[in-house]
Amino acid sequence: MEIDTFESLKTFIQLISCAIAVLSNSLLIFLIITKSPKKMGTYRNLMCYFCGISLMFTTLDVIIKPNIYSRGSAFFMVMDLRNRMLPRRVEEFLMSVLCGCCGMTIYGIAIHFVYRYFALERQGRLRIFKGAYQIFWFFVPIFGCVNWTFIAGYFFAMNPISSEYIAPMLQEKYNLPIEDAAYSAAVFWPLNEKGEKEFHWRSGYGLINLVSSMTLSLSVVIVMMVKSWTKIKQLLGRLESKFSKNLQMQLYKALLAQTLIPVLFIFIPFGILFTCPLLLIDCEFLSAPITIIYAVYPALDPLPCLFYVDNYRNVIRDFFAKRNKAKVSVMTDDQVTRNIYSI
């Protein structure tokens, strides 16, 4: 695909995804506040917080309009600074924060699973999610964002070694001079003065940080997911109210689906993107799909809750049912009117 065609398609997808993300996340926040059962407790605050992360994610993606690319021993996120109004430093910082949104998301998912397990466990540990304790849990995803922002802005910051390595790629792939680009790049095996490959430890340290944070988050998710599923099977076998059983299953299914999306759209593709260049495995073919995936993710994230939680799904279903009835009523009235005048 020609670069101009791809850029037009990417911009279109980013705008559509942003519109869907803003609409769906705003709707979910409204439903969480107005239609959530009381038994959800402070979990409503976490859900609203997670929606806010998605809104921040999609807004920055539309502003930055990044391209994600990998070739040889490098992967990077790049933005075209031509026809930009903001100072270069500001644009570079916003791009680093966009990278940080990934860290914010994966830590947010882990917190969700910890909360859901404590809720199922019913040993009173949910008290650490109430009152002033909430500040700590809200700060954890912010820490993830700050950490990934720091990685992008320091370990993967623009430097002469990275610029020399990726400049030909930018010119060839995007017709973009390095002087007109801002990027966050990891270059693992640049050439030294002798023309030999030499490991770039600054990029290596950044990768260690990235992989460690992703591994920590994914480990918490897997452990809590298994524990939660075991606990749910135990609870369903006890004499509990039908409403409680149903709500627990709804929230767990929503959380499973809400985890499957970032696993497929963030953990797996970016895990491949991060490690292949280190091993000198060319994964250039993933560049365009990952760029699109990065834009689409915030639009998909709220859908599991809207689909699986009855209190939210029923409101949406009733809304469209009323609209359909109104249309049928109008059509019937028109038909009666035509019949009267035809007599």
Side-chain angles (χ1 to χ4, degrees):
M1 183 183 296
E2 295 292 333
I3 185 59
D4 292 339
T5 304
F6 174 75
E7 286 296 319
S8 299
L9 176 63
K10 183 195 72 173
T11 300
F12 175 75
I13 292 175
Q14 286 173 330
L15 292 174
I16 294 298
S17 297
C18 180
I20 295 174
V22 170
L23 177 63
S24 57
N25 281 284
S26 300
L27 174 61
L28 182 56
I29 290 174
F30 171 76
L31 294 175
I32 290 169
I33 294 173
T34 60
K35 301 298 180 181
S36 296
K38 291 183 179 180
K39 287 194 174 186
M40 288 181 67
T42 56
Y43 191 50
R44 291 175 294 182
N45 299 335
L46 287 176
M47 294 173 71
C48 289
Y49 184 45
F50 209 49
C51 290
I53 294 174
S54 293
L55 289 172
M56 174 181 171
F57 200 142
T58 192
T59 300
L60 284 175
D61 189 69
V62 169
I63 293 173
I64 301 301
K65 297 180 181 178
N67 280 300
I68 300 171
Y69 192 72
S70 176
R71 187 193 295 178
S73 69
F75 68 81
F76 56 87
M77 176 183 286
V78 63
M79 63 182 297
D80 189 343
L81 294 179
R82 293 173 293 192
N83 302 317
R84 295 272 183 170
M85 301 299 295
L86 295 175
R88 185 187 188 97
R89 291 280 186 181
V90 175
E91 299 280 11
E92 291 176 7
F93 174 73
L94 290 177
M95 186 174 62
S96 296
V97 175
L98 177 59
C99 297
C101 286
C102 267
M104 202 173 193
T105 298
I106 64 175
Y107 277 82
I109 296 168
I111 289 174
H112 270 280
F113 267 98
V114 172
Y115 184 97
R116 291 300 308 132
Y117 176 67
F118 285 175
L120 292 167
E121 193 181 29
R122 299 185 177 185
Q123 294 184 3
R125 289 199 278 185
L126 280 183
R127 64 180 181 274
I128 65 174
F129 280 88
K130 298 178 180 179
Y133 291 113
Q134 288 188 64
I135 298 175
F136 168 77
W137 296 106
F138 286 166
F139 178 77
V140 172
I142 294 175
F143 168 77
C145 180
V146 171
N147 183 38
W148 279 51
T149 300
F150 174 71
I151 293 171
Y154 178 73
F155 290 111
F156 298 162
M158 298 179 67
N159 61 78
I161 294 176
S162 297
S163 294
E164 182 180 0
Y165 192 90
I166 71 173
M169 302 180 195
L170 293 180
Q171 189 65 54
E172 175 191 341
K173 184 67 179 179
Y174 303 109
N175 194 27
L176 178 62
I178 192 71
E179 298 80 14
D180 295 325
Y183 66 79
S184 178
V187 178
F188 296 110
W189 298 99
L191 301 179
N192 58 21
E193 296 84 357
K194 300 179 181 179
E196 300 171 343
K197 292 179 181 178
E198 183 175 308
F199 188 71
H200 190 205
W201 282 103
R202 186 168 182 172
S203 294
Y205 292 141
L207 181 66
I208 291 172
N209 194 329
L210 280 179
V211 173
S212 298
S213 63
M214 291 181 68
T215 302
L216 175 62
S217 175
L218 189 59
S219 299
V220 171
V221 168
I222 293 173
V223 170
M224 292 300 167
M225 180 176 64
V226 173
K227 285 179 172 288
S228 296
W229 180 245
T230 303
K231 185 62 65 174
I232 280 180
K233 288 195 294 184
Q234 294 174 358
L235 290 175
L236 292 178
R238 297 175 185 172
L239 293 176
E240 293 191 0
S241 70
K242 185 177 179 181
F243 175 80
S244 296
K245 292 180 181 180
N246 194 31
L247 179 60
Q248 293 291 356
M249 286 304 299
Q250 290 170 35
L251 293 175
Y252 190 75
K253 287 178 180 178
L255 195 54
L256 281 178
Q258 210 165 12
T259 302
L260 186 62
I261 291 173
V263 166
L264 294 177
F265 283 74
I266 291 182
F267 282 103
I268 293 177
F270 282 93
I272 296 173
L273 183 75
F274 292 159
T275 54
C276 282
L278 177 66
L279 302 175
L280 293 175
I281 300 173
D282 198 339
C283 59
E284 182 180 359
F285 66 95
L286 286 175
S287 301
I290 286 181
T291 298
I292 301 301
I293 285 172
Y294 204 75
V296 171
Y297 168 75
L300 300 177
D301 192 55
L303 298 183
C305 284
L306 293 173
F307 179 78
Y308 281 110
V309 180
D310 288 347
N311 290 60
Y312 309 151
R313 184 178 68 247
N314 291 341
V315 172
I316 299 172
R317 183 189 60 192
D318 293 344
F319 173 78
F320 285 105
K322 289 178 181 178
R323 288 183 62 88
N324 289 333
K325 287 181 180 178
K327 289 181 180 179
V328 171
S329 177
V330 170
M331 291 176 63
T332 303
D333 291 342
D334 289 344
Q335 290 172 353
V336 171
T337 303
R338 286 197 297 270
N339 291 336
I340 290 174
Y341 281 102
S342 64
I343 296 175

